[in-house]
Amino acid sequence: YPITINASRYPLSIRWQQVKNSRERVTLTLKSVDGKVLAVVNGSGKITLADAGIKKVVVAVSPGISVPKVFALGRNYPNPFNPATRFSVDIPRIAQVEVSVYDILGRKIATVWNGEKEAGYHTMEWDGRNSERQTSPTGIYFIRMTVPADQFSSVHKVMLMK
């Protein structure tokens, strides 16, 4: 369902209330004209548009889609690992997300992801290499996920064994 936005001032808040249906589970997906997913919400919700360049959003009703309720960094597996480890990243709405790897001294050695990420459950992988693509030595490392706009940060310890 397309919605055209004509506002004289920004930010603009859009709120909606979903009427409960006895058997259907419905998810609302708000998209900008260029197809970017702005938010995926189960039930009622609110989104704030800060950019006057967004003139249209599309509300799509889809049964059965599940999105996280909060930001989260899942535990890695396997742990200890060699040569690579995987972990989950939960994102409840489109956001700027950074997932980086730090050594035991707190130095950033690799960036797994840095940029805008859509809502959903994502699996990421660190291949045990640093930013210069060199294999990291055996040791303890830390995977850190940050979402600056939401002041979210989570860290998990991982062990690379050769």
Side-chain angles (χ1 to χ4, degrees):
Y1 305 97
I3 300 172
T4 302
I5 300 170
N6 292 315
S8 59
R9 293 186 316 179
Y10 284 83
L12 173 69
S13 293
I14 301 172
R15 295 175 196 245
W16 61 92
Q17 179 81 28
Q18 180 177 321
V19 178
K20 291 186 178 182
N21 195 337
S22 61
R23 294 184 183 211
E24 287 185 344
R25 186 168 153 211
V26 178
T27 299
L28 300 176
T29 303
L30 281 79
K31 295 182 178 181
S32 65
V33 156
D34 62 0
K36 271 189 183 176
V37 175
L38 301 173
V40 181
V41 178
N42 289 315
S44 303
K46 173 187 170 186
I47 186 169
T48 301
L49 302 176
D51 185 356
I54 298 173
K55 297 293 184 193
K56 185 187 254 186
V57 294
V58 177
V59 178
V61 180
S62 307
I65 297 173
S66 177
V67 294
K69 294 190 184 302
V70 295
F71 291 101
L73 172 63
R75 297 283 179 190
N76 70 305
Y77 58 91
N79 193 22
F81 72 95
N82 182 15
T85 189
R86 302 181 112 198
F87 52 93
S88 63
V89 173
D90 299 352
I91 303 173
R93 65 187 167 286
I94 193 167
Q96 287 293 125
V97 177
E98 181 177 349
V99 178
S100 298
V101 180
Y102 294 82
D103 66 12
I104 196 78
L105 299 175
R107 297 176 295 202
K108 185 190 296 188
I109 64 159
T111 301
V112 178
W113 179 266
N114 188 10
E116 195 170 81
K117 198 74 171 155
E118 68 278 357
Y121 298 96
H122 305 279
T123 299
M124 295 189 178
E125 181 178 278
W126 178 46
D127 62 4
R129 297 176 190 236
N130 64 20
S131 56
E132 284 83 38
R133 305 299 302 148
Q134 298 168 330
T135 303
S136 299
T138 294
I140 295 173
Y141 295 89
F142 298 92
I143 296 175
R144 180 178 185 209
M145 174 185 170
T146 56
V147 182
D150 289 74
Q151 298 179 345
F152 173 83
S153 180
S154 182
V155 179
H156 289 301
K157 180 171 63 171
V158 300
M159 180 176 253
L160 172 61
M161 291 186 65
K162 297 192 178 186

